[in-house]
C-alpha cells in the first residue's frame, strides 16, 4: 500500500481538525509539522499527540525533505500565497485551506506554476467532496428549473467580542485578508458556483466595521433563470442551511454549508432524507478524494477542481473590491 506523506504547516485550530481527519485514513500520514520558532512548543504538542515524526521551524528545510509528498497549508489567509508559492516552486504538491489566495492575480500565478510543473494543487473545500453534495448534484434535475437559492452560514465568532473591545485578530483584519466573505460566505459561493457555474452578475452588500472589514454580508448572484442569495455573519447568530427551490420541488441542507450534512429532497408526492457521511471528521472525504486523484496521477481532475477554485476566487475578488474592501495584497 502506498503511504501518502503530508507535512502540516501551522498549529492553529484547523490543524487539529485536519489531523483528526487524517487519523481516519490509513493511506495517509502526517509525516512532519512546521511552525515558526516561537510556536515550536505547539508543534511539539501536536507531534506528540498525533505521532508526527518530524518537526521543522525552517520552511526551506522542510521543502528540501524528499520524503514529503504534499504540504498542507493551514495558516492565516494572507500567508497562503507566499507559502504555496514557495512549496510549488520547490516541486512540492500543495493542499491549501480556503481561500487559496487573497485575490485572483495571486491565484492565477500559482496555477501557472502548478500546471507548468505538473504539480497537484488543491483547495481544501470540504463540501465539494461530500457524498451529500454529490446527492444534491444527482437530484438537482428532479426539482425542475431552479428559480431561487438561499444559502446561509451564520456563526457568531468567539473573536468578535475581542474585536469590539479593540483587540483585532487576523480574521477581522484586512491586513491578514480576513473578513466574513473570505471566512464563511466563501462556502456558500463554492456551494452555488459548484452547481450552477459562474454567475452573470454578482454584488456584495456587506456590513463594514470601523477598520474596513466586513463582519457580515449578503452576496447576490444572478443567473439566467435563478437568483442565489448567499448570506453569512460572524457578528450575529441565526439558522444556517441551504434551500434550492425549483418549479417541481426543493432540496434542503439543514446546517452549516461547510459540514454539508442532513439533505432532504422534497417533491409533490414524496420526501427523501439523505446523509451519506460515513466519517467522524468533515474533512475526511476531501483527503480521500485528494489521495485518489494523486495516486492515480489524475492531473486533469485536479486541474478541473482548480478551475472551479479560480472561478470562485474571481467572484470573491470582484465582490470584495466592488464593495470597497481592500487588502494590502491587492497592491
Amino acid at each position: 500500500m502506498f503511504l501518502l506523506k503530508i507535512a502540516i504547516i501551522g498549529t492553529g485550530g484547523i490543524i487539529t481538525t485536519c489531523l483528526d481527519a487524517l487519523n481516519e485514513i490509513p493511506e495517509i500520514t502526517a509525516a512532519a509539522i512546521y511552525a515558526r520558532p516561537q510556536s515550536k512548543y505547539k508543534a511539539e504538542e501536536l507531534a506528540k499527540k498525533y505521532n508526527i515524526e518530524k518537526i521543522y521551524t525552517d520552511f526551506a528545510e522542510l521543502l528540501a525533505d524528499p520524503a514529503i509528498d504534499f504540504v498542507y497549508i493551514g495558516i492565516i489567509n494572507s500567508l497562503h500565497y507566499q507559502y504555496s508559492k514557495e512549496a510549488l516552486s520547490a516541486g512540492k504538491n500543495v493542499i491549501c485551506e480556503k481561500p487559496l489566495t487573497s485575490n485572483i492575480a495571486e491565484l492565477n500565478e500559482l496555477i501557472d506554476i502548478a500546471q507548468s510543473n505538473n504539480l497537484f494543487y488543491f483547495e481544501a473545500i470540504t463540501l465539494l467532496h461530500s457524498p451529500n453534495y454529490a446527492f444534491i448534484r444527482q437530484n438537482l434535475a428532479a426539482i425542475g428549473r431552479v428559480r431561487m437559492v438561499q444559502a446561509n452560514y451564520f456563526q457568531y465568532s468567539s473573536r468578535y467580542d475581542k474585536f469590539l473591545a479593540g483587540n483585532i485578530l487576523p480574521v477581522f483584519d484586512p491586513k491578514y485578508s480576513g473578513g466574513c466573505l473570505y471566512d464563511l460566505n466563501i462556502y456558500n459561493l463554492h456551494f452555488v458556483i459548484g452547481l450552477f457555474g459562474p454567475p452573470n452578475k454578482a454584488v456584495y452588500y456587506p456590513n463594514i466595521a470601523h477598520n474596513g472589514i466586513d463582519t457580515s454580508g449578503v452576496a447576490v448572484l444572478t443567473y439566467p433563470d435563478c437568483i442565489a442569495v448567499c448570506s453569512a455573519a460572524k457578528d450575529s447568530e441565526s439558522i444556517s442551511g441551504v434551500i434550492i427551490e425549483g418549479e417541481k420541488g426543493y432540496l434542503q441542507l439543514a446546517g452549516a454549508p461547510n459540514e454539508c450534512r442532513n439533505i432532504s429532497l422534497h417533491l409533490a408526492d414524496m420526501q427523501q432524507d439523505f446523509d451519506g457521511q460515513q466519517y467522524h471528521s468533515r474533512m475526511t472525504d476531501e483527503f480521500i478524494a485528494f489521495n485518489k486523484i494523486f495516486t492515480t496521477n489524475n492531473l486533469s481532475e485536479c486541474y478541473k477542481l482548480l478551475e472551479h477554485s479560480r472561478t470562485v476566487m474571481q467572484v470573491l475578488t470582484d465582490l470584495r473590491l466592488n464593495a470597497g474592501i481592500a487588502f494590502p495584497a491587492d497592491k
Side-chain angles (χ1 to χ4, degrees), residues 154-167:
F154 300 112
Q155 187 178 76
Y156 188 89
S157 174
S158 59
R159 299 173 178 86
Y160 186 61
D161 291 336
K162 295 180 180 179
F163 176 73
L164 294 176
N167 182 8

Side-chain angles (χ1 to χ4, degrees), residues 297-316:
N297 198 34
N298 194 347
L299 279 168
S300 62
E301 180 63 22
C302 172
Y303 296 160
K304 179 181 176 182
L305 290 168
L306 203 49
E307 284 305 312
H308 165 77
S309 291
R310 193 202 305 259
T311 298
V312 173
M313 179 51 66
Q314 181 68 69
V315 173
L316 274 171

Side-chain angles (χ1 to χ4, degrees), residues 137-164:
R137 286 183 188 274
Q138 293 160 7
N139 289 277
L140 195 59
I143 65 172
R145 185 168 57 160
V146 174
R147 305 301 282 161
M148 290 286 295
V149 181
Q150 301 175 60
N152 303 320
Y153 193 174
F154 300 112
Q155 187 178 76
Y156 188 89
S157 174
S158 59
R159 299 173 178 86
Y160 186 61
D161 291 336
K162 295 180 180 179
F163 176 73
L164 294 176

